[in-house]
Amino acid sequence: MTQTKNIKDLITRLARIEAGASWGDDLNPAQRMTLEYLNNANRFSRSPSHAAAYLGTTRGTITQTLKSLARKGYVAEERSESDKRSISYSLTNTGQKIVNQQGILERAIEKTPSMLRAEIDAGLRDILSQALQLNGQKAFGICKYCRHFETTTADGYCGLLSLALTPTEALQICHEQEPT
Amino acid sequence: MTQTKNIKDLITRLARIEAGASWGDDLNPAQRMTLEYLNNANRFSRSPSHAAAYLGTTRGTITQTLKSLARKGYVAEERSESDKRSISYSLTNTGQKIVNQQGILERAIEKTPSMLRAEIDAGLRDILSQALQLNGQKAFGICKYCRHFETTTADGYCGLLSLALTPTEALQICHEQEPT
DNA sequence: CACATTAGTAGCGAGTCGAAACTATTGCAA
DNA sequence: TTGCAATAGTTTCGACTCGCTACTAATGTG
């Protein structure tokens, strides 16, 4: 077995363990991941289309997942005024609570030496950017590390959308993000 | 966002990209992973129960997946003579071909520097052992790195099952494996 | 103003998934 | 040895995912 295959197996196996253990609270892995995306994404990125693009699924599938989450009271939909086609989903308080629970994978990661953690983070980040490129997907990175992020205002400013950012927003996921 | 959460997100996102891209050949991600497990497991570990334990799912679910793979001609079932309850699945030639195809994740990993790869491998391996422990799951490691592996014969010998091993077998996954 | 594009949905068929109930076989202990 | 418990695999159920195709409504663009 090559090292490449080893790493692939480790990644998929860890994801599977996490998925298997994440079934509680009347939620399945896909629903939980959608919830997590909404929690991390900024207000311009919480639409079905963006969630679908980030999660690597289709609009049709994500619609069903979001409707199911809405039925259960974990998310709420807000229709946009400017563009009447688009919808933005946000977490309800119940949804917030769910997303803050720590899964088995997080607990396992916390038990590894922090020096090792830094290397894993860097390594996986590298693999991710390669995979996204191969797949023709967008980066969906953190606002702050975007080439449109400016420091002309205290908390940061988005040069693309021409608006001032809050400290929270600067750390959220943005669908327009382009790495520096 | 903490580093722990970052790593978790990277792992689950990479797994999702791989899953999304692995839909071809009339197979879904779960079926492909089952195929891959059968390809790597030794002849004592290719039963529904062991596959279920490795993949972190239930016997009921894996039965359906295996039946579906058998219908499509990717695996064949062999009933055991010694224990009439148990079944061992093996890949057909068609199944072999499928499993040898390189997915997007493997191609992405190959593009990263090999020095980084070694660190990722070690780091993820550490996380995996922690996660398995937290989950009360068995290791399912490689035969050769088991405390029952002996070098009394040329190619290796299993002290637990009391039998000589082939070079191929020594590198396969075993459900009895206990790390040294 | 016509036409292409984009955002979101609905329905289909195959399949996953956990859970629970069930059959057949094997192991073990009194 | 007989009687039960444990084990291996299966089946069925209901909710859901997923890719796909076809659809509506709103928004761009030439």
Side-chain angles (χ1 to χ4, degrees):
Chain A
M1 250 201 288
T2 70
Q3 194 179 45
T4 299
K5 201 162 182 325
N6 273 336
I7 295 175
K8 191 203 85 174
D9 289 346
L10 284 165
I11 292 172
T12 49
R13 196 171 174 197
L14 281 168
R16 237 198 130 69
I17 289 172
E18 169 72 3
S22 79
W23 268 88
D25 299 310
D26 199 26
L27 286 172
N28 64 38
Q31 291 168 339
R32 196 169 239 106
M33 288 181 76
T34 305
L35 227 46
E36 244 149 53
Y37 171 74
L38 291 178
N39 187 48
N40 295 335
N42 70 13
R43 58 193 147 118
F44 310 111
S45 312
R46 291 192 213 113
S47 68
S49 293
H50 295 139
Y54 181 84
L55 296 169
T57 183
T58 59
R59 294 198 311 272
T61 298
I62 208 73
T63 292
Q64 296 178 70
T65 301
L66 287 167
K67 294 286 175 197
S68 147
L69 285 171
R71 266 200 308 278
K72 292 177 186 170
Y74 295 126
V75 302
E77 43 174 88
E78 297 155 23
R79 303 209 85 97
S80 162
E81 270 309 303
S82 54
D83 185 338
K84 282 174 190 161
R85 290 170 304 178
S86 73
I87 297 185
S88 183
Y89 282 86
S90 60
L91 295 194
T92 60
N93 287 339
T94 327
Q96 266 302 338
K97 268 179 213 145
I98 296 283
V99 109
N100 287 331
Q101 290 169 7
Q102 207 175 27
I104 194 146
L105 188 46
E106 275 177 281
R107 283 191 287 146
I109 294 167
E110 253 174 17
K111 281 185 191 251
T112 68
S114 64
M115 243 190 64
L116 206 52
R117 281 209 293 264
E119 286 168 0
I120 300 168
D121 189 283
L124 290 180
R125 208 168 286 283
D126 195 75
I127 294 174
L128 178 62
S129 76
Q130 301 286 355
L132 289 173
Q133 204 182 323
L134 281 170
N135 233 11
Q137 283 181 246
K138 287 220 257 177
F140 272 81
I142 306 296
C143 172
K144 200 173 181 177
Y145 310 116
C146 172
R147 60 186 196 77
H148 298 115
F149 184 82
E150 298 166 16
T151 49
T152 46
T153 62
D155 296 324
Y157 184 87
C158 176
L160 184 69
L161 304 173
S162 303
L163 47 83
L165 301 159
T166 67
T168 308
E169 274 176 336
L171 290 173
Q172 285 178 321
I173 291 172
C174 181
H175 72 106
E176 299 280 16
Q177 203 256 16
E178 292 171 53
T180 42
Chain B
M1 250 203 288
T2 71
Q3 194 179 45
T4 299
K5 201 160 183 321
N6 274 337
I7 295 175
K8 191 204 85 173
D9 289 346
L10 284 166
I11 291 172
T12 49
R13 195 169 175 200
L14 281 168
R16 236 198 131 69
I17 290 173
E18 170 70 5
S22 79
W23 269 87
D25 297 310
D26 199 26
L27 287 172
N28 63 39
Q31 292 168 339
R32 203 173 285 269
M33 288 181 75
T34 305
L35 228 46
E36 244 149 52
Y37 171 75
L38 291 178
N39 188 49
N40 295 334
N42 70 14
R43 59 193 147 119
F44 310 111
S45 312
R46 291 192 214 113
S47 69
S49 293
H50 297 139
Y54 181 86
L55 296 169
T57 183
T58 59
R59 295 199 309 276
T61 299
I62 208 74
T63 292
Q64 297 179 69
T65 302
L66 286 168
K67 296 286 175 195
S68 145
L69 285 171
R71 267 199 307 279
K72 291 177 184 170
Y74 294 126
V75 301
E77 45 175 85
E78 297 155 24
R79 303 208 86 97
S80 161
E81 271 308 304
S82 53
D83 186 339
K84 281 175 190 161
R85 291 171 302 181
S86 72
I87 297 185
S88 183
Y89 282 85
S90 62
L91 294 193
T92 60
N93 288 339
T94 327
Q96 268 300 341
K97 266 179 215 147
I98 296 285
V99 110
N100 287 331
Q101 289 168 7
Q102 207 174 28
I104 194 146
L105 188 46
E106 276 177 282
R107 282 190 287 147
I109 293 167
E110 255 176 14
K111 281 185 192 255
T112 68
S114 63
M115 245 190 63
L116 206 53
R117 281 208 294 261
E119 286 168 359
I120 300 169
D121 188 284
L124 291 180
R125 208 167 286 282
D126 196 74
I127 295 174
L128 178 61
S129 74
Q130 302 286 355
L132 289 173
Q133 205 182 323
L134 281 170
N135 233 12
Q137 283 180 246
K138 289 220 259 177
F140 272 82
I142 305 296
C143 174
K144 201 172 180 177
Y145 310 116
C146 172
R147 61 188 196 75
H148 298 117
F149 184 82
E150 298 166 16
T151 48
T152 46
T153 62
D155 296 325
Y157 184 87
C158 176
L160 184 70
L161 303 172
S162 302
L163 46 83
L165 301 159
T166 66
T168 308
E169 273 177 335
L171 290 174
Q172 285 179 321
I173 291 173
C174 181
H175 72 107
E176 299 280 15
Q177 204 255 15
E178 292 170 54
T180 42

